[in-house]
Amino acid sequence: MIDHHQFLSRAAQHFQESAIRKTGALVGRIPDLISFAAGVPATEMFPYDELREISDELLGSRDGNVLQYGATRGYRPLIDQLVEYLAQWGMTTRPDEFIITSGSQQGLDLAGRILLDPGDVVLVELPTYSGAVAAFQNQQATLVGVAQDAEGLSIEALESTVADLRAKHQRPRFVYVTPNFQNPSGILMSGPRRRALLEAAARLDVMILEDDPYGSIYFTDATRAEETRPIKADDRDGRVIYLGTISKTLVPGFRVGWMVAPPVFAERLELAKQAIDLHSGIFDQRVVHATLVRGVVQSLAPTLRAHYQAKRTVMEQALRSHLGDRMQWLSPRGGFFLWAKFDGVDDRALFDRAIEEKVSFVIGSAFFVNGEGHQYARLSFSQPTHARIEEGVKRLGRALAASQQTK
Ligand code: PMP
């Protein structure tokens, strides 16, 4: 037999399977498991009727372009719609800054491809989105964590981290942030902190990669739309690369995301993307375009906010009644995630116990690039029904009590 491992590139030898996918794979195998692991949208909120109508019209037109190869940059009328759509968050963008991606995950990969050489440093939040870590690690980057507080990334920590790196002759290329309801911590970066980050990035001369899948999912009891204003909206000198997606505001099965980048980057991103997939699915883009033109995405947004807010509240109430003060968290003001802290047990031990009780979550340490995070769990409330959330939290309470006792 051939040892195929010897043919793998150094990069491929180090590819890591995401902890989220690993735990996700469990869901199918354990009957009656309640999953707080998968951070996926609620399928009952998909606008089936509108999507069927639009698809029927597009296919009924027998216009070959609906199913033909498309432009690498993306379907131009979709880009024009996005220019208008993003203006609601104060963003002034131009079509030549855009590239449509196969989900914002591809945007993360593309950013890594054009900005990173092996060994380059990327600064990420502690904790951070594991899918971004995977994308940058695939470019053989070195990831360095920067602490956050309740207002988001700490500017002092950013400055001292960069100073430490400079002392070792290492220059970070960019800082990756998710200012709106971060995956996994749920933190909403404050307005002053956003402005301070922009100033610090200019002073330190690093780019900002801003990932914004959850900006529309703010909870109206706690947050106002202005608070989710992207950093990109105040970027006057092309310091920020911005990533958006239709995954959380329409459906993730259409792989449609977008990048807004300075034109020099946009050109390179286009070349990189050409070699990967030529272009993102044209039919997906045509449907998404029509949903924006008809206001489907826009009118769905308030319903989504109410839906996820209600689920968040159910989860918090259940945690309070079944776990008392044995878990602590900052109430998420938007997004899909509740970031829970607990004492006296390691995240992996709690996870094993939770699986016995038929409930899952993602271990906190999966989101830390510095080996920490073993006192945290990411609980996603986006998908299960209210009754399943209630029952899942009850099971989690039993798992925590049992694992704290056996310690
Ligand atoms: N960034 C973050 C922070 C996410 O949470 C996700 C989805 N879980 C993505 C990017 C990727 O989303 P998509 O590729 O579906 O747009």
Side-chain angles (χ1 to χ4, degrees), residues 117-139:
D117 288 311
D120 277 350
V121 173
V122 178
L123 301 169
V124 298
E125 294 164 306
L126 289 172
T128 191
Y129 170 53
S130 50
V133 169
F136 308 145
Q137 275 179 345
N138 285 0
Q139 302 303 320

Side-chain angles (χ1 to χ4, degrees), residues 104-398:
S104 50
Q105 187 63 42
Q106 187 182 44
L108 294 168
D109 177 77
L110 285 170
R113 283 174 197 257
I114 69 150
L115 298 176
L116 299 173
D117 288 311
D120 277 350
V121 173
V122 178
L123 301 169
V124 298
E125 294 164 306
L126 289 172
T128 191
Y129 170 53
S130 50
V133 169
F136 308 145
Q137 275 179 345
N138 285 0
Q139 302 303 320
Q140 302 179 61
T142 301
L143 302 189
V144 175
V146 180
Q148 295 188 85
D149 58 32
E151 285 191 53
L153 187 89
S154 157
I155 305 301
E156 292 92 85
L158 176 68
E159 289 185 322
S160 66
T161 305
V162 172
D164 290 349
L165 288 165
R166 291 256 159 91
K168 291 188 275 181
H169 306 288
Q170 284 181 308
R171 196 166 78 94
R173 313 295 292 179
F174 61 87
V175 50
Y176 166 70
V177 288
T178 307
N180 290 324
F181 318 115
Q182 198 221 29
N183 177 2
S185 71
I187 290 174
L188 174 67
M189 193 186 287
S190 72
R193 193 61 65 83
R194 290 174 198 232
R195 290 186 285 281
L197 174 57
L198 201 49
E199 281 165 25
R203 216 165 38 243
L204 302 168
D205 200 21
V206 291
M207 294 296 297
I208 296 174
L209 181 61
E210 178 178 27
D211 190 10
D212 189 18
Y214 303 102
S216 301
I217 316 287
Y218 57 89
F219 299 152
T220 44
D221 64 342
T223 317
R224 285 165 299 127
E226 310 89 83
E227 292 181 78
T228 65
R229 180 185 170 91
I231 297 173
K232 181 73 184 161
D234 296 304
D235 175 24
R236 300 281 162 264
D237 20 279
R239 182 63 60 189
V240 183
I241 301 172
Y242 177 85
L243 302 179
T245 176
I246 210 69
S247 290
K248 321 292 162 156
T249 44
L250 190 70
V251 293
F254 294 151
R255 302 305 293 141
V256 175
W258 49 89
M259 258 175 131
V260 185
V264 170
F265 291 168
E267 283 161 24
R268 296 289 134 175
L269 291 165
E270 178 177 357
L271 295 178
K273 184 173 164 69
Q274 224 162 48
I276 299 169
D277 58 4
L278 296 176
H279 61 88
S280 303
I282 189 70
F283 185 68
D284 295 9
Q285 293 183 69
R286 293 292 292 257
V287 177
V288 171
H289 167 253
T291 62
L292 288 169
V293 170
R294 295 177 194 199
V296 176
V297 177
Q298 296 86 330
S299 60
L300 190 58
T303 322
L304 292 177
R305 292 194 267 273
H307 183 84
Y308 294 119
Q309 180 178 319
K311 285 183 169 175
R312 181 277 320 256
T313 303
V314 168
M315 180 173 269
E316 288 195 305
Q317 280 165 355
L319 282 167
R320 277 194 289 270
S321 57
H322 299 299
L323 286 105
D325 56 6
R326 288 180 297 131
M327 271 194 179
Q328 298 92 43
W329 64 94
L330 277 179
S331 183
R333 297 169 60 197
F336 286 3
F337 308 108
L338 188 144
W339 182 238
K341 186 172 191 301
F342 45 86
D343 293 314
V345 55
D346 172 279
D347 58 345
R348 289 159 305 196
L350 178 60
F351 180 80
D352 291 343
R353 204 67 200 223
I355 291 301
E356 285 172 29
E357 295 287 346
K358 298 192 175 178
V359 60
S360 73
F361 57 84
V362 183
I363 53 174
S365 50
F367 302 98
F368 280 78
V369 295
N370 65 351
E372 291 176 3
H374 291 286
Q375 255 60 61
Y376 292 93
R378 190 195 75 174
L379 307 179
S380 171
F381 48 79
S382 55
Q383 193 190 27
T385 60
H386 290 193
R388 299 281 283 175
I389 292 175
E390 172 75 29
E391 173 59 24
V393 169
K394 223 185 264 179
R395 295 179 187 183
L396 187 63
R398 285 200 296 268

